[in-house]
Amino acid sequence: GDSVTQMEGPVTLSEEAFLTINCTYTATGYPSLFWYVQYPGEGLQLLLKATKADDKGSNKGFEATYRKETTSFHLEKGSVQVSDSAVYFCALSRSWDSNYQLIWGAGTKLIIKP
Amino acid sequence: NAGVTQTPKFQVLKTGQSMTLQCAQDMNHEYMSWYRQDPGMGLRLIHYSVGAGITDQGEVPNGYNVSRSTTEDFPLRLLSAAPSQTSVYFCASSAIRTGGTYGYTFGSGTRLTVV
């Protein structure tokens, strides 16, 4: 079945470091891909999305490119801040799915040290 | 502000008690769902609804009931609380026509402890 695999955390970085959080997926057809962020004590917020191959989603300095050839949607940021500490979830949506479900990765906790 | 509102934010129950977690959205979204989030387990779908009068089970439905009498509200009922139901519960909604493109809007969560 369809699935999303994220790198295990926690990922610990120093402020201003470069960030990559890996996400790969398995799906038939052409899903939409999402990154959500969950700050401590809060609900999930949509961070960015891409709906077709080679699309690049971006928001708040984060970027991810939909790579169909490698079935990946890795999250990157050039210079992280302490305020980026959160849990990041990768997810896919199958537009042909009549149940309208998102398939979720397990989440990756990011810790940024000053 | 438009969005998904969950109440209460925190709740402590004794084993065997029942309660209802409330979820309301004001975006006229057809799709609504309940998730639970446990440490190291990510998000697990409990129940979902694609419109008023229509509900279906997700991955972990046992011990929970839902109903959808209006587009706006989607309450989650715990029939007889058990310690295994200690978790953080999230409600999410989306417009069915755009959910595949725009994703879900989440509430801020209800932290439930069953003692």
Side-chain angles (χ1 to χ4, degrees), chain B residues 52-97:
Chain B
I54 305 169
T55 64
D56 207 345
Q57 297 180 351
E59 181 185 357
V60 288
N62 292 341
Y64 306 95
N65 272 359
V66 292
S67 60
R68 183 95 179 270
S69 56
T70 66
T71 298
E72 294 77 20
D73 299 301
F74 191 46
L76 178 72
R77 281 181 285 276
L78 280 69
L79 309 174
S80 177
S84 61
Q85 293 178 305
T86 293
S87 187
V88 181
Y89 292 84
F90 289 101
C91 180
S93 73
S94 73
I96 281 180
R97 285 186 304 278

Short mmCIF file of all heavy atoms in Angstrom, two decimals, chain B residues 52-97:
data_model
loop_
_atom_site.label_atom_id
_atom_site.label_comp_id
_atom_site.label_asym_id
_atom_site.label_seq_id
_atom_site.Cartn_x
_atom_site.Cartn_y
_atom_site.Cartn_z
N ALA B 52 -22.24 15.72 6.40
CA ALA B 52 -23.26 15.51 7.44
C ALA B 52 -23.98 14.19 7.22
O ALA B 52 -24.37 13.86 6.09
CB ALA B 52 -24.25 16.67 7.44
N GLY B 53 -24.09 13.41 8.29
CA GLY B 53 -24.77 12.12 8.24
C GLY B 53 -23.92 10.97 7.76
O GLY B 53 -24.39 9.82 7.71
N ILE B 54 -22.64 11.23 7.44
CA ILE B 54 -21.76 10.19 6.90
C ILE B 54 -20.50 10.10 7.77
O ILE B 54 -19.78 11.09 7.91
CB ILE B 54 -21.33 10.49 5.46
CG1 ILE B 54 -22.55 10.72 4.57
CG2 ILE B 54 -20.46 9.36 4.90
CD1 ILE B 54 -22.23 11.27 3.20
N THR B 55 -20.27 8.93 8.37
CA THR B 55 -19.05 8.72 9.14
C THR B 55 -18.48 7.36 8.80
O THR B 55 -19.19 6.47 8.32
CB THR B 55 -19.30 8.79 10.66
OG1 THR B 55 -20.18 7.73 11.05
CG2 THR B 55 -19.90 10.13 11.06
N ASP B 56 -17.19 7.19 9.08
CA ASP B 56 -16.55 5.91 8.81
C ASP B 56 -15.37 5.75 9.76
O ASP B 56 -14.87 6.73 10.34
CB ASP B 56 -16.09 5.81 7.36
CG ASP B 56 -16.03 4.36 6.88
OD1 ASP B 56 -16.07 3.44 7.73
OD2 ASP B 56 -15.93 4.15 5.66
N GLN B 57 -14.95 4.50 9.92
CA GLN B 57 -13.87 4.18 10.85
C GLN B 57 -12.51 4.38 10.21
O GLN B 57 -12.33 4.16 9.02
CB GLN B 57 -14.00 2.73 11.31
CG GLN B 57 -15.26 2.45 12.09
CD GLN B 57 -15.35 1.00 12.53
OE1 GLN B 57 -14.55 0.16 12.12
NE2 GLN B 57 -16.33 0.70 13.37
N GLY B 58 -11.57 4.76 11.05
CA GLY B 58 -10.19 4.84 10.62
C GLY B 58 -9.40 3.66 11.11
O GLY B 58 -9.91 2.55 11.24
N GLU B 59 -8.15 3.91 11.46
CA GLU B 59 -7.22 2.85 11.85
C GLU B 59 -7.47 2.31 13.26
O GLU B 59 -7.31 1.12 13.52
CB GLU B 59 -5.80 3.42 11.76
CG GLU B 59 -4.68 2.48 12.11
CD GLU B 59 -3.33 3.19 12.10
OE1 GLU B 59 -3.29 4.40 11.76
OE2 GLU B 59 -2.33 2.56 12.45
N VAL B 60 -7.89 3.19 14.20
CA VAL B 60 -8.02 2.80 15.60
C VAL B 60 -9.37 3.25 16.17
O VAL B 60 -9.43 4.08 17.07
CB VAL B 60 -6.85 3.35 16.45
CG1 VAL B 60 -5.57 2.62 16.14
CG2 VAL B 60 -6.67 4.85 16.22
N PRO B 61 -10.50 2.71 15.71
CA PRO B 61 -11.81 3.22 16.12
C PRO B 61 -12.36 2.67 17.43
O PRO B 61 -13.30 3.24 17.99
CB PRO B 61 -12.70 2.76 14.96
CG PRO B 61 -12.07 1.46 14.52
CD PRO B 61 -10.58 1.67 14.69
N ASN B 62 -11.78 1.56 17.93
CA ASN B 62 -12.38 0.90 19.09
C ASN B 62 -12.36 1.79 20.32
O ASN B 62 -11.34 2.37 20.69
CB ASN B 62 -11.64 -0.41 19.39
CG ASN B 62 -11.87 -1.44 18.30
OD1 ASN B 62 -12.81 -1.33 17.52
ND2 ASN B 62 -11.01 -2.43 18.23
N GLY B 63 -13.54 1.87 20.99
CA GLY B 63 -13.67 2.68 22.19
C GLY B 63 -14.13 4.10 21.93
O GLY B 63 -14.29 4.87 22.88
N TYR B 64 -14.35 4.44 20.67
CA TYR B 64 -14.74 5.80 20.29
C TYR B 64 -15.98 5.76 19.38
O TYR B 64 -16.10 4.87 18.55
CB TYR B 64 -13.63 6.51 19.51
CG TYR B 64 -12.28 6.53 20.18
CD1 TYR B 64 -11.33 5.55 19.87
CD2 TYR B 64 -11.94 7.52 21.08
CE1 TYR B 64 -10.08 5.57 20.47
CE2 TYR B 64 -10.68 7.55 21.68
CZ TYR B 64 -9.76 6.57 21.36
OH TYR B 64 -8.51 6.59 21.94
N ASN B 65 -16.85 6.75 19.57
CA ASN B 65 -17.98 6.94 18.67
C ASN B 65 -17.97 8.35 18.13
O ASN B 65 -17.51 9.29 18.80
CB ASN B 65 -19.31 6.72 19.42
CG ASN B 65 -19.73 5.27 19.41
OD1 ASN B 65 -19.07 4.42 18.84
ND2 ASN B 65 -20.84 4.99 20.07
N VAL B 66 -18.53 8.51 16.92
CA VAL B 66 -18.67 9.84 16.34
C VAL B 66 -20.04 9.96 15.70
O VAL B 66 -20.69 8.96 15.41
CB VAL B 66 -17.59 10.15 15.28
CG1 VAL B 66 -16.22 10.27 15.89
CG2 VAL B 66 -17.62 9.10 14.17
N SER B 67 -20.45 11.19 15.47
CA SER B 67 -21.64 11.49 14.70
C SER B 67 -21.41 12.81 13.98
O SER B 67 -20.55 13.61 14.39
CB SER B 67 -22.88 11.57 15.59
OG SER B 67 -22.72 12.59 16.55
N ARG B 68 -22.14 13.05 12.92
CA ARG B 68 -21.97 14.30 12.17
C ARG B 68 -23.37 14.77 11.77
O ARG B 68 -23.89 14.46 10.70
CB ARG B 68 -21.11 14.05 10.92
CG ARG B 68 -20.82 15.32 10.12
CD ARG B 68 -19.53 15.92 10.48
NE ARG B 68 -19.22 17.11 9.72
CZ ARG B 68 -18.54 17.12 8.56
NH1 ARG B 68 -18.13 15.96 8.03
NH2 ARG B 68 -18.28 18.25 7.96
N SER B 69 -23.99 15.52 12.66
CA SER B 69 -25.36 16.00 12.39
C SER B 69 -25.35 17.31 11.61
O SER B 69 -26.34 17.65 10.95
CB SER B 69 -26.13 16.16 13.70
OG SER B 69 -25.44 17.03 14.56
N THR B 70 -24.26 18.06 11.68
CA THR B 70 -24.13 19.31 10.93
C THR B 70 -22.79 19.34 10.22
O THR B 70 -21.87 18.59 10.58
CB THR B 70 -24.22 20.55 11.83
OG1 THR B 70 -23.08 20.57 12.70
CG2 THR B 70 -25.50 20.53 12.68
N THR B 71 -22.63 20.20 9.26
CA THR B 71 -21.34 20.35 8.57
C THR B 71 -20.27 20.86 9.54
O THR B 71 -19.11 20.49 9.44
CB THR B 71 -21.48 21.33 7.39
OG1 THR B 71 -22.41 20.81 6.46
CG2 THR B 71 -20.14 21.54 6.69
N GLU B 72 -20.68 21.70 10.51
CA GLU B 72 -19.71 22.40 11.36
C GLU B 72 -19.11 21.53 12.47
O GLU B 72 -17.98 21.74 12.88
CB GLU B 72 -20.37 23.62 12.00
CG GLU B 72 -20.78 24.72 11.03
CD GLU B 72 -22.06 24.39 10.28
OE1 GLU B 72 -22.83 23.52 10.75
OE2 GLU B 72 -22.29 25.00 9.21
N ASP B 73 -19.90 20.59 13.01
CA ASP B 73 -19.50 19.91 14.24
C ASP B 73 -19.22 18.43 14.03
O ASP B 73 -19.95 17.74 13.31
CB ASP B 73 -20.60 20.08 15.29
CG ASP B 73 -20.85 21.54 15.63
OD1 ASP B 73 -19.89 22.19 16.06
OD2 ASP B 73 -21.99 22.00 15.43
N PHE B 74 -18.21 17.94 14.75
CA PHE B 74 -17.84 16.53 14.64
C PHE B 74 -17.32 16.07 16.00
O PHE B 74 -16.11 15.95 16.22
CB PHE B 74 -16.78 16.35 13.56
CG PHE B 74 -16.49 14.93 13.18
CD1 PHE B 74 -17.53 14.03 12.95
CD2 PHE B 74 -15.18 14.48 13.02
CE1 PHE B 74 -17.27 12.72 12.58
CE2 PHE B 74 -14.92 13.17 12.64
CZ PHE B 74 -15.95 12.30 12.43
N PRO B 75 -18.22 15.79 16.95
CA PRO B 75 -17.78 15.40 18.29
C PRO B 75 -17.27 13.96 18.35
O PRO B 75 -17.76 13.09 17.60
CB PRO B 75 -19.05 15.57 19.13
CG PRO B 75 -20.16 15.39 18.14
CD PRO B 75 -19.66 15.95 16.84
N LEU B 76 -16.33 13.73 19.24
CA LEU B 76 -15.77 12.41 19.47
C LEU B 76 -16.14 11.97 20.88
O LEU B 76 -15.83 12.66 21.85
CB LEU B 76 -14.24 12.43 19.33
CG LEU B 76 -13.50 11.12 19.60
CD1 LEU B 76 -13.76 10.13 18.47
CD2 LEU B 76 -12.01 11.37 19.77
N ARG B 77 -16.79 10.82 20.99
CA ARG B 77 -17.24 10.33 22.29
C ARG B 77 -16.42 9.14 22.74
O ARG B 77 -16.24 8.18 21.98
CB ARG B 77 -18.72 9.96 22.23
CG ARG B 77 -19.65 11.14 22.30
CD ARG B 77 -21.11 10.70 22.27
NE ARG B 77 -21.51 10.29 20.93
CZ ARG B 77 -21.91 11.12 19.99
NH1 ARG B 77 -21.98 12.42 20.23
NH2 ARG B 77 -22.26 10.68 18.80
N LEU B 78 -15.95 9.24 23.97
CA LEU B 78 -15.31 8.10 24.63
C LEU B 78 -16.37 7.44 25.50
O LEU B 78 -16.93 8.07 26.40
CB LEU B 78 -14.13 8.53 25.49
CG LEU B 78 -12.81 8.81 24.77
CD1 LEU B 78 -12.90 10.05 23.92
CD2 LEU B 78 -11.67 8.92 25.78
N LEU B 79 -16.67 6.19 25.23
CA LEU B 79 -17.79 5.52 25.87
C LEU B 79 -17.48 5.11 27.30
O LEU B 79 -18.29 5.27 28.21
CB LEU B 79 -18.19 4.30 25.05
CG LEU B 79 -18.40 4.61 23.55
CD1 LEU B 79 -18.64 3.32 22.78
CD2 LEU B 79 -19.55 5.57 23.37
N SER B 80 -16.30 4.55 27.52
CA SER B 80 -15.86 4.09 28.83
C SER B 80 -14.34 4.21 28.84
O SER B 80 -13.64 3.33 28.33
CB SER B 80 -16.30 2.64 29.08
OG SER B 80 -15.81 2.18 30.33
N ALA B 81 -13.84 5.33 29.38
CA ALA B 81 -12.44 5.65 29.24
C ALA B 81 -11.52 4.60 29.86
O ALA B 81 -11.83 4.04 30.92
CB ALA B 81 -12.15 7.01 29.86
N ALA B 82 -10.41 4.35 29.17
CA ALA B 82 -9.39 3.42 29.63
C ALA B 82 -8.04 4.12 29.61
O ALA B 82 -7.83 5.04 28.80
CB ALA B 82 -9.35 2.19 28.72
N PRO B 83 -7.11 3.70 30.47
CA PRO B 83 -5.78 4.34 30.47
C PRO B 83 -5.10 4.32 29.11
O PRO B 83 -4.33 5.23 28.80
CB PRO B 83 -5.01 3.50 31.51
CG PRO B 83 -6.06 3.02 32.45
CD PRO B 83 -7.26 2.75 31.59
N SER B 84 -5.41 3.32 28.27
CA SER B 84 -4.81 3.25 26.94
C SER B 84 -5.28 4.39 26.03
O SER B 84 -4.71 4.60 24.95
CB SER B 84 -5.14 1.92 26.27
OG SER B 84 -6.54 1.76 26.13
N GLN B 85 -6.32 5.10 26.45
CA GLN B 85 -6.82 6.23 25.66
C GLN B 85 -6.17 7.55 26.07
O GLN B 85 -6.52 8.60 25.52
CB GLN B 85 -8.34 6.32 25.76
CG GLN B 85 -9.03 5.13 25.10
CD GLN B 85 -10.53 5.17 25.22
OE1 GLN B 85 -11.07 5.26 26.34
NE2 GLN B 85 -11.23 5.11 24.10
N THR B 86 -5.24 7.50 27.01
CA THR B 86 -4.45 8.69 27.33
C THR B 86 -3.65 9.07 26.09
O THR B 86 -2.87 8.27 25.57
CB THR B 86 -3.51 8.39 28.51
OG1 THR B 86 -4.29 8.18 29.67
CG2 THR B 86 -2.54 9.55 28.74
N SER B 87 -3.87 10.30 25.61
CA SER B 87 -3.26 10.71 24.35
C SER B 87 -3.57 12.18 24.11
O SER B 87 -4.26 12.83 24.88
CB SER B 87 -3.85 9.86 23.21
OG SER B 87 -3.16 10.11 21.99
N VAL B 88 -3.02 12.68 23.01
CA VAL B 88 -3.41 14.00 22.52
C VAL B 88 -4.27 13.78 21.28
O VAL B 88 -3.88 13.04 20.37
CB VAL B 88 -2.19 14.88 22.18
CG1 VAL B 88 -2.66 16.24 21.69
CG2 VAL B 88 -1.28 15.03 23.39
N TYR B 89 -5.44 14.40 21.27
CA TYR B 89 -6.40 14.20 20.19
C TYR B 89 -6.49 15.46 19.33
O TYR B 89 -6.62 16.57 19.84
CB TYR B 89 -7.78 13.88 20.78
CG TYR B 89 -7.81 12.54 21.46
CD1 TYR B 89 -7.40 12.38 22.78
CD2 TYR B 89 -8.23 11.41 20.76
CE1 TYR B 89 -7.40 11.14 23.39
CE2 TYR B 89 -8.25 10.16 21.37
CZ TYR B 89 -7.83 10.04 22.68
OH TYR B 89 -7.83 8.80 23.27
N PHE B 90 -6.43 15.24 18.02
CA PHE B 90 -6.52 16.34 17.07
C PHE B 90 -7.69 16.13 16.13
O PHE B 90 -7.91 15.03 15.63
CB PHE B 90 -5.25 16.47 16.24
CG PHE B 90 -4.07 16.97 17.02
CD1 PHE B 90 -3.10 16.10 17.48
CD2 PHE B 90 -3.95 18.33 17.31
CE1 PHE B 90 -2.02 16.56 18.20
CE2 PHE B 90 -2.86 18.80 18.03
CZ PHE B 90 -1.90 17.91 18.48
N CYS B 91 -8.39 17.21 15.88
CA CYS B 91 -9.43 17.25 14.87
C CYS B 91 -8.87 17.98 13.65
O CYS B 91 -8.11 18.95 13.79
CB CYS B 91 -10.66 17.98 15.42
SG CYS B 91 -12.05 18.10 14.29
N ALA B 92 -9.22 17.52 12.45
CA ALA B 92 -8.74 18.15 11.22
C ALA B 92 -9.88 18.21 10.22
O ALA B 92 -10.76 17.35 10.22
CB ALA B 92 -7.56 17.38 10.64
N SER B 93 -9.85 19.22 9.34
CA SER B 93 -10.88 19.34 8.33
C SER B 93 -10.27 19.77 7.01
O SER B 93 -9.15 20.30 6.97
CB SER B 93 -11.95 20.35 8.76
OG SER B 93 -11.45 21.67 8.69
N SER B 94 -11.01 19.52 5.93
CA SER B 94 -10.60 20.02 4.63
C SER B 94 -11.81 20.10 3.71
O SER B 94 -12.83 19.43 3.93
CB SER B 94 -9.52 19.13 3.99
OG SER B 94 -10.08 17.92 3.54
N ALA B 95 -11.68 20.92 2.67
CA ALA B 95 -12.67 20.95 1.62
C ALA B 95 -12.39 19.79 0.70
O ALA B 95 -11.28 19.65 0.20
CB ALA B 95 -12.61 22.27 0.86
N ILE B 96 -13.36 18.95 0.47
CA ILE B 96 -13.13 17.71 -0.28
C ILE B 96 -12.58 18.01 -1.67
O ILE B 96 -11.64 17.37 -2.12
CB ILE B 96 -14.41 16.89 -0.36
CG1 ILE B 96 -14.63 16.15 0.96
CG2 ILE B 96 -14.36 15.91 -1.52
CD1 ILE B 96 -15.87 15.30 0.99
N ARG B 97 -13.09 19.01 -2.31
CA ARG B 97 -12.64 19.28 -3.66
C ARG B 97 -11.19 19.72 -3.69
O ARG B 97 -10.51 19.56 -4.69
CB ARG B 97 -13.50 20.38 -4.30
CG ARG B 97 -14.88 19.91 -4.70
CD ARG B 97 -15.62 21.00 -5.46
NE ARG B 97 -15.70 22.24 -4.69
CZ ARG B 97 -16.60 22.45 -3.76
NH1 ARG B 97 -17.47 21.51 -3.45
NH2 ARG B 97 -16.62 23.58 -3.11
#
